[in-house]
Amino acid sequence: MLPRIEVDHGSNVSIGDGTFVNYGAVFLDGAPVTIGSDCQIATNVQLITATHPIDPGPRRELWEYCLPVTLGDNVWLGAGAIVCPGVSIGSDSVIGAGSVVAKDGPAGVVAVGSPARVLREIGPRDRVEPPSSSGRALSARRRRGRRPRAAPAGSG
């Protein structure tokens, strides 16, 4: 995790192995925030569990309640994405930058927008073969919490 990460309590946040959390993340964890393994959380992502009644009376009295947020394994949240209270996102999904996720999302999809809507399933056309050097750089970033540097031209 890269600083600065903001949490409400901290004790209700669970982060799986190999997950990368970039700068400026906010986890309001009045209820459990569960992040799977190998997720990528981009800069300024917000995972919010706190909410308020729609009914104006209790809201005027400052009632608040919390609902859990759950991310499956290998979820990528783009920069500035907001995940609302009570939402679960299935494994291997990608949420576009700036999206507001207000409802549960299935596994293996790309979802974008406000509110986020499934754009398409992730499939064979999305498969890529990363260069061998990028795997080493990614592993190094995860160990040290830093971004990989590009190799000089002709070095590899």
Side-chain angles (χ1 to χ4, degrees):
M1 291 194 303
L2 297 177
R4 174 168 187 172
I5 308 298
E6 300 285 340
V7 296
D8 211 8
H9 303 281
S11 59
N12 291 324
V13 178
S14 171
I15 301 175
D17 291 338
T19 288
F20 178 76
V21 180
N22 213 329
Y23 300 101
V26 174
F27 303 152
L28 295 188
D29 64 320
V33 171
T34 305
I35 302 170
S37 298
D38 300 309
C39 293
Q40 296 182 49
I41 310 297
T43 188
N44 296 322
V45 164
Q46 299 178 51
L47 305 180
I48 310 297
T49 66
T51 190
H52 306 277
I54 299 295
D55 181 351
R59 192 173 66 246
R60 188 176 295 110
E61 294 176 23
L62 304 178
W63 283 20
E64 176 183 281
Y65 60 99
C66 298
L67 300 169
V69 168
T70 303
L71 306 181
D73 293 336
N74 197 34
V75 170
W76 173 21
L77 299 179
I82 299 171
V83 181
C84 294
V87 169
S88 292
I89 299 173
S91 294
D92 299 318
S93 286
V94 175
I95 306 300
S99 295
V100 177
V101 186
K103 295 184 179 181
D104 289 352
V109 299
V110 175
V112 299
S114 180
R117 298 186 194 284
V118 173
L119 184 64
R120 61 184 176 82
E121 291 185 3
I122 296 172
R125 71 179 180 167
D126 297 302
R127 305 288 182 243
V128 296
E129 188 64 38
S132 60
S133 64
S134 69
R136 286 192 306 267
L138 181 58
S139 296
R141 177 186 78 179
R142 285 187 174 160
R143 279 195 307 272
R144 294 190 299 270
R146 297 185 193 155
R147 296 180 188 275
R149 285 184 269 169
S155 66

